[in-house]
Amino acid sequence: MNLIQKARMKSPWVLHFNAGSCNGCDIEILSCLTPVYDIERFGAVNVGNPKHADVLLVTGPVNRRNERVLRNLYEQMLDPKIVVAVGTCASSGGVFHNCYNCLGGVDKVIPVDVYVPGCAAKPETIIEGVILGLEKLAKMPAKARPGRQEAKAESAEAER
Amino acid sequence: MSEATNVPFGPQHPVLPEPIQLRISLEDENVLQALPALGYVHRGIEKAGELNDFQQNVFLVERVCGICSSIHALAYCLAVESAMGLEVPKRADYLRVVWMELHRIHSHLLYLGLLAEAFGFESVFMEFWRIRERVMDLLEMTAGNRVIISVCTIGGVRRDIDAEQAKTIREELPKVREEAKRLVDTLLGDYTVKRRTVGKGVIPAQAALELGAVGPTLRGSGVAQDMRMAGYAAYSELQFRPVTFADGDTYARTAVRAHEVFQSMDLVLAALENLPEGELAVKFKGRPEGAALARVEAPRGELIYMVVGNGTKNLERMRVRVPTYANIPALLSVLPGCEFADVPVVTLSIDPCISCTER
Amino acid sequence: MSELAGVQGIERIEDVPLEGLLEAVRAYRDRNARFITASCLDRGERFEILYLFDESLKTVAVRTFLPKGQKLPSITGVYLCGFLVENELQDLFGIEVEGLDIDYRGKFLVTNTFETPPLLKQTACELQGNKEVPS
């Protein structure tokens, strides 16, 4: 494990995106930052810039308008990166399965590495999910993974 | 006059926990005009409410908004109960008050924390969220979940608060109150906070009424209107007087919420004190046939549900009008003239909840 | 059922023809009523539209019927805050609102990827799993 990989494991930078969630999971993600759960003691930092982030936390079932924003954010993040779908509706659409404007889950748009269950997911579960993702991140080579090119080609096609 | 610059504020912005975009035209540092671009959280819940069974809808409407979730469920249940002519047991009415007010406390503490963060007072944010966790613990203890607590059901409530839990709440709340008081006094008495909030985003009372503002935004302008005065659930039997501040600025709206935290604590304790014995929920048969409208006070203001039944298990129409929807015109009216650096704080002062607004 | 017989929780419903709508709404404004919202129901041949007002904690309503295909006059000249709900009517019911102050032209909440406006009764909403992801 080289220094950069070690640093990435010990201090993952997290980007949070709300893709049409009900706020329940979002305030639980915020709770993770506050003194009771305090993920900053693990070195995790909440950042606003996708190019800085290693972990993308997505909440919500993804709707037709923010789908493009989500794809943009994902493409802007540098490899290696992991995507954590937080909450039932981010994982499968959940209670919004029959809403006309929802796509039904983050994995309909971008590849997902970890699914965190719960409606709303508890802070403990979210932290566990991020840590599971980090284990996966440690095994990833520090260059673009094969899935990425495909995702790009797909979106280019969709834009056409 | 120099040319106006257009700046998109959002949909990804550190001060906004949710995606909403404000398209702001600026001249130098002054805002000329602000227009919202919505739709980033629109899911289509009103239609889904027609496709689901009317009893399943209770779980759907809780997820309109995760911060005031149980209040959505209460409003929906009140509407269906009134369409079906159900009489809710007294104990359920009181338990509803307990949970709704606990929810209001956590929502207002959340707002106060976020406001502090918008100023750059990170440690005050952390402190508010630390004491908020103790309210969340009470919710988890009584309902089994932290955020979406699913306590309301058509005809009553689904869970009980037993004597031991009531005792814990009675012991815990005064401690939380003491800590909250220390923090609120710090926040509202601070020189910098006053400089950033007093006189910013002033909504006069008449304008607030004409623009249809509700909740703390309206009460911060000195209009004493709170749906709890209408006395749904057990509010008619508890001593209730709305909190108002006259100035109509960001400071007044914050002060209303801060004082409502303490008021809600009093209401929880009073409801537990007078908790009658009895059934938790009334059993019912049949399906909603008529139409009914219910108005309740959510943390952000007046929340309205209208249900139209047609005698089948599906509703003909479920209409939701949420508080932030009513407060957006008031926000748009005060943004022009603000300095750009004040936009985050003034926007936050109506405590916007976008997932409510777009449903 | 082709119209509401009455709504529990609404004190009174005043029926007005389409051309008298603005006048009726203005009367409420003159009495300092607070505009709450408008609510629309798809009744087959026509829309049933309720404008809800608050008069010191009591709910009152103005009701009008709009034949499909006709334009709805905008109330934004009377209550500016009506622009949100009127844009929503354009989006979700496909109603054309005339004289709207701030007009998003049907792109307020949804992007136009639906064949029929989503809240019309005729719009079939199949489960998400079978739906194609639009670009």
Side-chain angles (χ1 to χ4, degrees):
Chain A
M1 195 184 274
N2 66 23
L3 184 64
I4 289 189
Q5 270 176 318
K6 195 170 175 186
R8 191 175 287 129
M9 287 295 297
K10 289 289 175 194
S11 174
W13 284 22
V14 178
L15 174 70
H16 164 223
F17 181 64
N18 174 339
S21 130
C22 74
N23 275 343
C25 296
D26 303 82
I27 57 173
E28 293 295 63
I29 289 174
L30 264 180
S31 290
C32 291
L33 300 171
T34 57
V36 176
Y37 299 97
D38 195 15
I39 51 164
E40 291 196 8
R41 71 200 148 116
F42 301 122
V45 181
N46 189 17
V47 292
N49 186 335
K51 303 236 176 202
H52 291 173
D54 306 304
V55 180
L56 177 61
L57 288 178
V58 192
T59 54
V62 188
N63 76 12
R64 286 162 194 245
R65 190 164 282 184
N66 63 35
E67 175 209 3
R68 193 175 51 83
V69 185
L70 176 62
R71 196 171 273 152
N72 268 344
L73 285 174
Y74 178 76
E75 308 242 307
Q76 284 182 57
M77 282 172 68
L78 304 181
D79 281 305
K81 59 191 168 191
I82 55 161
V83 178
V84 181
V86 177
T88 307
C89 61
S91 304
S92 66
V95 72
F96 306 124
H97 68 98
N98 56 358
C99 292
Y100 56 84
N101 210 29
C102 292
L103 301 180
V106 176
D107 54 7
K108 299 275 191 303
V109 182
I110 56 174
V112 174
D113 296 286
V114 183
Y115 296 91
V116 176
C119 188
K122 285 187 171 188
E124 295 96 328
T125 336
I126 296 171
I127 296 172
E128 175 79 14
V130 172
I131 288 173
L132 277 177
L134 288 180
E135 284 170 13
K136 205 170 167 185
L137 191 69
K139 292 184 195 128
M140 276 180 196
K143 56 178 187 335
R145 53 174 150 158
R148 178 145 189 250
Q149 296 300 326
E150 286 160 29
K152 243 193 172 162
E154 238 172 61
S155 72
E157 203 168 288
E159 266 163 39
R160 232 179 288 138
Chain B
M1 187 178 138
S2 63
E3 208 174 300
T5 322
N6 290 315
V7 181
F9 177 72
Q12 266 293 83
H13 190 280
V15 77
L16 302 168
E18 296 170 86
I20 178 184
Q21 194 178 37
L22 288 174
R23 291 185 184 144
I24 297 175
S25 323
L26 291 176
E27 190 195 316
D28 294 334
E29 283 295 301
N30 294 318
V31 178
L32 294 176
Q33 197 196 17
L35 274 182
L38 301 174
Y40 293 95
V41 210
H42 178 63
R43 287 150 289 179
I45 287 177
E46 287 188 4
K47 183 76 181 183
E50 294 170 19
L51 302 173
N52 290 348
D53 187 307
F54 75 98
Q55 297 193 50
Q56 292 173 334
N57 273 344
V58 180
F59 302 100
L60 178 71
V61 297
E62 285 201 302
R63 281 143 183 98
V64 170
C65 167
I67 303 179
C68 37
S69 67
S70 65
I71 295 163
H72 279 268
L74 171 69
Y76 176 75
C77 291
L78 285 174
V80 174
E81 280 155 12
S82 119
M84 296 176 73
L86 297 179
E87 184 84 30
V88 177
K90 267 270 160 291
R91 186 176 178 85
D93 269 345
Y94 275 80
L95 287 175
R96 281 175 172 183
V97 170
V98 172
W99 274 306
M100 296 315 129
E101 293 307 318
L102 282 176
H103 239 83
R104 194 182 315 275
I105 297 169
H106 108 71
S107 175
H108 282 347
L109 289 175
L110 178 143
Y111 162 79
L112 293 168
L114 286 178
L115 187 83
E117 203 200 16
F119 294 140
F121 285 175
E122 187 91 10
S123 52
V124 178
F125 160 71
M126 292 289 182
E127 286 285 311
F128 269 118
W129 279 60
R130 184 177 59 76
I131 58 172
R132 173 178 167 268
E133 281 298 327
R134 299 172 65 172
V135 181
M136 301 306 280
D137 287 345
L138 293 180
L139 284 171
E140 190 174 5
M141 174 190 78
T142 50
N145 204 355
R146 282 162 53 89
V147 179
I148 292 175
I149 58 174
S150 285
V151 285
C152 285
T153 184
I154 295 165
V157 289
R158 297 155 59 83
R159 298 180 80 104
D160 198 4
I161 292 180
D162 62 29
E164 202 176 320
Q165 290 172 336
K167 186 163 160 274
T168 316
I169 297 178
R170 251 186 243 125
E171 286 169 2
E172 187 72 6
L173 273 187
K175 291 185 207 158
V176 178
R177 181 193 194 103
E178 220 162 89
E179 291 200 42
K181 183 150 184 9
R182 189 171 56 86
L183 280 173
V184 163
D185 288 349
T186 312
L187 185 76
L188 293 183
D190 186 74
Y191 173 76
T192 321
V193 173
K194 282 188 181 160
R195 279 297 298 270
R196 298 264 341 239
T197 53
V198 173
K200 305 281 190 230
V202 180
I203 309 172
Q206 186 60 30
L209 277 172
E210 276 174 19
L211 292 166
V214 294
T217 311
L218 187 60
R219 292 197 288 281
S221 297
V223 182
Q225 209 185 67
D226 187 317
M227 285 322 292
R228 285 174 285 177
M229 287 152 73
Y232 62 90
Y235 287 110
S236 52
E237 289 154 46
L238 299 165
Q239 297 299 320
F240 178 78
R241 302 182 69 141
V243 179
T244 55
F245 278 80
D247 296 337
D249 55 4
T250 304
Y251 186 83
R253 293 193 277 280
T254 307
V256 167
R257 293 195 179 92
H259 285 86
E260 282 187 1
V261 170
F262 305 123
Q263 184 190 44
S264 293
M265 287 175 181
D266 292 338
L267 283 170
V268 171
L269 295 177
L272 284 176
E273 199 62 47
N274 302 318
L275 195 61
E277 292 297 322
E279 288 287 305
L280 290 180
V282 61
K283 288 198 175 58
F284 67 90
K285 267 191 183 154
R287 287 154 176 177
E289 204 144 350
L293 175 125
R295 299 167 72 187
V296 304
E297 186 76 15
R300 283 158 190 76
E302 169 199 77
L303 169 68
I304 297 172
Y305 269 74
M306 187 168 111
V307 296
V308 181
N310 54 6
T312 67
K313 69 181 172 52
N314 297 100
L315 294 176
E316 182 84 8
R317 178 92 167 97
M318 181 177 87
R319 176 80 174 109
V320 189
R321 206 302 308 270
V322 300
T324 307
Y325 203 87
N327 283 333
I328 283 181
L331 171 68
L332 297 179
S333 78
V334 296
L335 282 179
C338 280
E339 284 173 343
F340 186 56
D342 280 331
V343 169
V345 173
V346 173
T347 306
L348 210 60
S349 76
I350 65 157
D351 200 2
C353 176
I354 311 304
S355 68
C356 272
T357 311
E358 300 178 8
R359 307 172 301 277
Chain C
M1 193 169 64
S2 63
E3 60 177 75
L4 294 173
V7 181
Q8 294 276 329
I10 297 185
E11 213 79 351
R12 62 165 194 276
I13 297 181
E14 183 188 332
D15 273 308
V16 294
L18 201 52
E19 48 276 10
L21 174 67
L22 290 185
E23 219 168 289
V25 171
R26 193 164 288 126
Y28 277 91
R29 189 193 161 115
D30 293 343
R31 270 179 272 157
N32 264 336
R34 177 164 62 81
F35 176 65
I36 297 177
T37 196
S39 181
C40 179
L41 279 129
D42 179 9
R43 295 296 197 191
E45 292 293 297
R46 54 184 189 171
F47 293 109
E48 181 175 2
I49 304 176
L50 284 170
Y51 292 84
L52 303 173
F53 299 91
D54 169 276
E55 279 184 342
S56 35
L57 298 185
K58 292 199 165 53
T59 323
V60 289
V62 168
R63 175 167 65 179
T64 190
F65 289 95
L66 175 77
K68 284 191 178 169
Q70 271 196 36
K71 289 179 182 170
L72 181 73
S74 166
I75 64 157
T76 47
V78 187
Y79 282 99
L80 180 63
C81 51
F83 84 93
L84 285 171
V85 72
E86 289 186 343
N87 274 299
E88 198 179 303
L89 291 181
Q90 293 202 121
D91 276 25
L92 304 181
F93 287 93
I95 296 173
E96 208 174 317
V97 183
E98 212 172 15
L100 193 48
D101 237 24
I102 304 167
D103 194 348
Y104 289 80
R105 302 188 187 284
K107 293 193 171 144
F108 177 57
L109 280 178
V110 292
T111 26
N112 281 343
T113 44
F114 307 106
E115 281 173 19
T116 49
L119 278 182
L120 293 187
K121 287 282 168 214
Q122 70 195 71
T123 307
C125 266
E126 67 274 20
L127 296 184
Q128 281 306 312
N130 314 324
K131 220 178 249 178
E132 262 185 50
V133 177
S135 58

